[in-house]
């Protein structure tokens, strides 16, 4: 998988979502780690290939799922995340499976 790109805007967006309005380098590092873990976990849930680009910084289900994953991670409840968002994860997975099939068909032509 390509390196996980975490922009300052994405960190700020997620911190705003989880109502963190203080500056603490240690906590920022933890949030970044949770975002990184969330991206890796969500890519796995989505069934996205290593080559598939997913932009978690843009509005959409991918970003919505990431911010909620971080919220669950802050509360040490990531094991509950999949159950709570299974429907949304499944719809995104279908999207990436469809894209993968299109890419495979294009390569065969």
């Amino acid at each position: 998988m390509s390196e996980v790109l975490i922009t300052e805007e994405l960190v700020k967006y997620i911190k705003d979502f989880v109502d963190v309005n203080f500056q603490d380098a240690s906590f920022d590092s933890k949030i970044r780690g949770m975002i990184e873990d969330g991206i890796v976990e969500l890519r796995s849930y989505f069934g996205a290939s290593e080559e598939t680009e997913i932009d978690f910084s843009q509005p959409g289900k991918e970003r919505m799922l990431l911010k909620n994953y971080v919220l669950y991670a802050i509360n040490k409840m990531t094991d509950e995340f999949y159950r709570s968002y299974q429907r949304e994860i499944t719809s995104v997975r279908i999207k990436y499976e469809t894209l993968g099939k299109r890419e495979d068909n294009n390569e065969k032509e």
Side-chain angles (χ1 to χ4, degrees):
M1 183 177 77
S2 59
E3 185 176 324
V4 176
L5 176 63
I6 301 172
T7 64
E8 288 303 318
E9 293 81 20
L10 182 59
V11 173
K12 183 182 180 326
Y13 176 80
I14 290 177
K15 284 176 65 175
D16 287 346
F17 174 74
V18 297
D19 288 328
V20 172
N21 55 11
F22 56 87
Q23 293 294 331
D24 179 334
S26 175
F27 189 77
D28 284 356
S29 177
K30 286 180 186 177
I31 284 280
R32 284 180 170 279
M34 290 176 197
I35 292 170
E36 192 171 306
D37 291 345
I39 289 172
V40 170
E41 190 75 12
L42 289 171
R43 286 186 63 82
S44 173
Y45 287 158
F46 299 162
S49 70
E50 291 184 15
E51 296 81 30
T52 303
E53 293 292 325
I54 301 176
D55 188 353
F56 287 95
S57 67
Q58 296 300 311
K61 285 187 182 177
E62 293 88 343
R63 186 174 76 174
M64 179 275 298
L65 288 165
L66 178 60
K67 71 182 183 181
N68 282 291
Y69 179 91
V70 172
L71 181 63
Y72 276 66
I74 288 170
N75 291 293
K76 298 179 179 17
M77 295 182 61
T78 55
D79 54 330
E80 297 292 323
F81 174 79
Y82 184 80
R83 282 185 285 244
S84 297
Y85 291 94
Q86 187 173 4
R87 183 179 328 166
E88 292 84 355
I89 290 167
T90 300
S91 73
V92 176
R93 183 177 184 92
I94 291 168
K95 171 184 168 180
Y96 287 104
E97 285 176 350
T98 302
L99 287 174
K101 288 177 184 174
R102 282 189 199 151
E103 289 171 3
D104 288 346
N105 287 338
N106 289 339
E107 288 175 6
K108 290 178 184 177
E109 293 177 0

